[in-house]
Amino acid sequence: MKAEAPQTIYLKDYTPFGWHVESVHLTFRLAPNSTRVLSKIRFAPNPDAPAQDFFLHGEMLKLIGAKIDGATVTPDVTDEGLTVTVPSGAFLWEAEVEIDPKGNTALEGLYMSNGMYCTQCEAEGFRKITYYPDRPDVMSTFTVRIEGDEKVKLSNGNPQEAGEGFAEWHDPWPKPAYLFALVAGDLVNFPGAFTTMSGKQVELNIWVRPGDEDKCAFGMEALKKSMKWDEDVYGREYDLDIFNIVAVDDFNMGAMENKGLNVFNSSCVLASPETSTDANFERVEAIIAHEYFHNWTGNRITCRDWFQLCLKEGLTVFRDAQFTSDMRSEPVKRISDVIDLRGRQFPEDQGPLSHPVRPESFQEINNFYTATVYEKGAEVIGMLKRLVGDEAYARALDLYFDRHDGQACTIEDWLKVFEDATGRDLAQFKRWYSQAGTPRVSVSESFADGTYSLTFRQETPPTPGQPEKAPQVIPMAVGLLNPNGDEVLPTTLLEFNQSEQTFNFSGFAAKPVPSLLRGFSAPVVLDREAGRDEQAFLLAHDTDTFTRWDAGRQLARETLVDMVLTGATPDMAYIDGLEAVLRDETLDPAYRALMMGTPSQSELAQVLADRGHVPDPDAIWQAAETLAQVKAERWTDLLPRLAAEAEVTAPYSPDAEQSARRALGAAVLSLQTRLDGGAAAETQFGRADNMTLQLSALSNLIRAGRDDAALKAFHDQWQGDRLVMDKWFGLQIAATTPEKVVPRTEALTAHPAFDWKNPNRFRAVMGAMMMHHAGFHSVDGAGYRLLADWLIRLDDVNPQTTARMCSAFQTWRRYDAGRQEMIRAELERIRSKPKLSRDVDEMVSRILGA
Ligand code: PHE
Ligand code: ZN
């Protein structure tokens, strides 16, 4: 247990900092274990702030000396920062500190990755670089001088003077310290250029380690497309002479939007056909767009405090989703996002880690970079747009950029913009930001005298700290079909904002069939006790691509639940209904590939728990296996047809059209393997000239237990490529059968290439284990123990990544008493580790409900 109770920070306690920062000058004298950072910072009193001591954040810093207006001072220094007496007016603060980038394994602040210096300052990493008011509402211009022998030395803004052993940068745009960045190393660039809408030339670069230049072309194109798209769709122009992206191998997250100098996990920017899958390419494109879009939503307009994180993240995720829809397929993107939301955000929102999109308290802010803040935050923006309409949304965004450029804002500012632009009262809508939990919507219907009525009820279950919930504004998009399958009411948006509400539609000769929550118009669980006939009907006829897909998904879910609970055989109406859809060659192959998917086993466990059953992971695994087997046997005629359609003869391109066909091909191959024991997969493995085909083949060989030779061949081919080796590590766990999961994971942790301090490698292995539902929940508790052992070990090295992975245990209360007891014991064991980090302490305590 921790010695002192960790401190909780509350939104309600916000107070502005007592000074403005007028300018920041930093000099870095780089040395691996003893970098000197010299700061010159001009402070001036902030007349709008209450009186307070002058406190600067600072952690892990060795203070060499400090001066105020040129006179040496001796501040009062603690582990968290320093306090010093300052003049009543404006003054110049100067400090020299020493830091240890090489010894920094937490990857926050200034650290080293493969001999290269880089920084990560969001959320509170800048305080590990120098003493500073490290809070997002303190904004300033930065001038940075870097001294060192490295060939390349980068920081934010525009380059100034450079010469032998030094480089200077100036960022004219005031920014919070979390957007500061510095990179230095012997890097090479992949160059590009962009001309903005007003004719300004911008130099673009992707900086990588020598040898990775051939993996940059795709990212560069994605960057240019993003810049153009933000001009076309949001009217936002880039505002510096240069935009740099750097690829880093050791990184806790996906990427970081530092002003003019984005730093990327190399897995999120490097891509080539031989080493990256179609999904990797799509992700690279989306993340480059995401970080670029932050230039306006996050950087030019930033957050007042970290409680407002969704202000930049929800909006930027929403924007990158719009971009992906425009670049690729809108229905496919929407369905993929809903799968992701249900797979990651719903379990969070329905368990002990549930928190509002705008949390009201935290101990460690790093624990709140969550699916709720990001993905539900984006859903909330989507609902707002649906409610006010596209034209009003565009007007509101223009007003937001006009009114708040250069400011650090709150959700109140954001909503006020919409209220002013539309005249709408958003007081009730605001509950989406303050109320945690996933609303459950139930539906009943009636039909009399040509009038069809839909009655909705909403209820949000209690969440930690929020026993009572008030009704939310739920935009409910509905359509109605008549019994012969024609649409008789096109998509109509109902504003469902009471606990219970009835909507009437008149003029029907026969009772219509409702198509509800079209486009997934709100992040809710729809509890519709409709018959399977209705779902089968919608699967065949719905005009809305989302609800049509979801009808198939619900049929799959219901048959799997039956199979688990009663040992029933699969519902042939579902399998045959699905077949009809799969045979429709007018439908996008990617859409049909999504249709072939079934709810995840974890999702099924939740459904069973919600219905009062204790989920048995082995039984769920078995049901999923049986369903796939029955499909494969039923579709012996269909599968070769689809395989032919999926064939790509043109040279590889990661575009939507080709990836769609490969996605369909992969879905077909996984069924085919159940019939041929892996013969087709082996052929594909032998012929594959791109990673997408190579990996789907390997996955099926693993699944079929024919993997020894293939895994060895793959290893020998790719052992020099870290990103591909992450796939090799992860896939042999992810694609195997439950009983092999823990032993394989354990064996892989002993592999010489298991570089567990690298977050990508650690996640490849441990993440694959925890995502394998039946394998991780092995009844002897071996999965729980193995994960806890490694989390305990990683905590001393990298608390942030450790804390994120504790979420594997968040669903523990779904399971039987024996499993619950074993998980509780592991959580307690983690909690009693000596010197447990604040990050992990908070996560484990919340999961335990302590
Ligand atoms: N702000 C980054 C993004 O969403 C995520 C991030 C957070 C990266 C914290 C690093 C550290 O784009
Ligand atoms: Zn972001």
Side-chain angles (χ1 to χ4, degrees), residues 532 535-536 539-540 551-560 563 568-583 592 595-598 623-639 642 671:
R532 297 194 193 176
Q535 297 303 343
L539 174 61
R553 194 82 166 180
Q554 288 176 48
L555 285 169
R557 183 185 72 201
E558 292 312 314
T559 192
L560 284 162
M563 290 166 73
T569 54
D571 175 3
M572 294 319 276
Y574 155 63
I575 293 180
D576 294 343
L578 186 56
E579 175 169 354
V581 175
L582 297 176
R583 283 185 183 274
R592 283 181 280 156
M595 279 280 186
M596 288 175 82
T598 50
E625 286 295 297
T626 306
L627 180 59
Q629 188 66 36
V630 170
K631 280 180 182 171
E633 284 163 11
R634 180 85 170 181
W635 292 344
T636 47
D637 169 51
L638 171 68
L639 294 179
L642 293 179
L671 295 179

Side-chain angles (χ1 to χ4, degrees), residues 329-652:
S329 150
E330 201 263 327
V332 168
K333 173 62 176 163
R334 188 63 188 140
I335 292 166
S336 311
D337 281 351
V338 174
I339 292 173
D340 179 67
L341 192 80
R342 287 176 175 165
R344 297 192 303 118
Q345 199 275 327
F346 279 22
E348 181 170 272
D349 222 357
Q350 295 167 20
L353 296 176
S354 179
H355 56 277
V357 169
R358 182 173 70 177
E360 273 152 33
S361 69
F362 61 75
Q363 290 171 6
E364 173 50 64
I365 184 58
N366 285 330
N367 289 334
F368 286 85
Y369 286 77
T370 59
T372 297
V373 170
Y374 276 66
E375 274 73 33
K376 188 177 178 183
E379 290 298 320
V380 172
I381 310 274
M383 285 191 286
L384 198 49
K385 181 161 178 281
R386 239 166 253 128
L387 287 168
V388 303
D390 293 353
E391 181 274 330
Y393 174 81
R395 259 191 297 116
L397 266 285
D398 286 344
L399 181 58
Y400 180 62
F401 294 121
D402 274 0
R403 187 185 280 178
H404 293 297
D405 187 11
Q407 297 177 5
C409 294
T410 60
I411 289 304
E412 282 72 17
D413 296 327
W414 164 254
L415 290 176
K416 180 78 165 57
V417 160
F418 276 81
E419 290 189 326
D420 292 353
T422 66
R424 198 181 244 269
D425 176 355
L426 293 171
Q428 187 188 3
F429 186 82
K430 195 177 171 191
R431 286 181 192 147
W432 281 108
Y433 287 99
S434 59
Q435 209 163 265
T438 311
R440 303 193 78 102
V441 175
S442 57
V443 196
S444 58
E445 61 185 336
S446 65
F447 181 70
D449 304 327
T451 297
Y452 176 70
S453 306
L454 278 170
T455 298
F456 297 105
R457 270 173 222 87
Q458 57 169 299
E459 201 195 322
T460 304
T463 54
Q466 293 188 342
E468 304 289 339
K469 308 283 181 175
Q472 314 217 121
V473 186
I474 296 177
M476 176 63 75
V478 306
L480 298 175
L481 309 181
N482 76 11
N484 67 22
D486 294 333
E487 188 168 79
V488 285
L489 179 78
T491 304
T492 301
L493 194 73
L494 308 176
E495 222 174 294
F496 164 39
N497 55 19
Q498 295 156 36
S499 301
E500 179 174 329
Q501 206 168 347
T502 299
F503 298 87
N504 298 315
F505 309 86
S506 49
F508 297 109
K511 179 184 158 308
V513 177
S515 160
L516 303 173
L517 203 66
R518 283 187 158 183
F520 198 69
S521 57
V524 301
V525 172
L526 193 63
D527 288 321
R528 166 123 175 98
E529 283 172 31
R532 297 194 193 176
D533 299 353
E534 182 179 302
Q535 297 303 343
F537 177 86
L538 292 172
L539 174 61
H541 300 291
D542 206 340
T543 57
D544 183 85
T545 48
F546 170 77
T547 38
R548 187 178 190 189
W549 166 82
D550 207 27
R553 194 82 166 180
Q554 288 176 48
L555 285 169
R557 183 185 72 201
E558 292 312 314
T559 192
L560 284 162
V561 165
D562 279 355
M563 290 166 73
V564 170
L565 291 178
T566 69
T569 54
D571 175 3
M572 294 319 276
Y574 155 63
I575 293 180
D576 294 343
L578 186 56
E579 175 169 354
V581 175
L582 297 176
R583 283 185 183 274
D584 182 351
E585 290 183 13
T586 66
L587 295 172
D588 178 359
Y591 182 67
R592 283 181 280 156
L594 286 169
M595 279 280 186
M596 288 175 82
T598 50
S600 74
Q601 294 180 30
S602 176
E603 196 174 328
L604 289 169
Q606 185 63 47
V607 169
L608 287 162
D610 286 347
R611 296 182 189 176
H613 306 283
V614 176
D616 173 354
D618 295 315
I620 294 172
W621 165 271
Q622 206 41 65
E625 286 295 297
T626 306
L627 180 59
Q629 188 66 36
V630 170
K631 280 180 182 171
E633 284 163 11
R634 180 85 170 181
W635 292 344
T636 47
D637 169 51
L638 171 68
L639 294 179
R641 251 181 84 154
L642 293 179
E645 233 195 301
E647 195 81 34
V648 176
T649 47
Y652 179 89

Side-chain angles (χ1 to χ4, degrees), residues 120 122 253 255-257 290-291 294 312-313 369 374:
Q120 175 51 47
E122 186 177 6
M253 309 278 277
M256 180 63 210
E257 70 265 22
H290 179 97
E291 306 312 330
H294 268 315
K312 72 176 177 83
E313 295 304 346
Y369 286 77
Y374 276 66

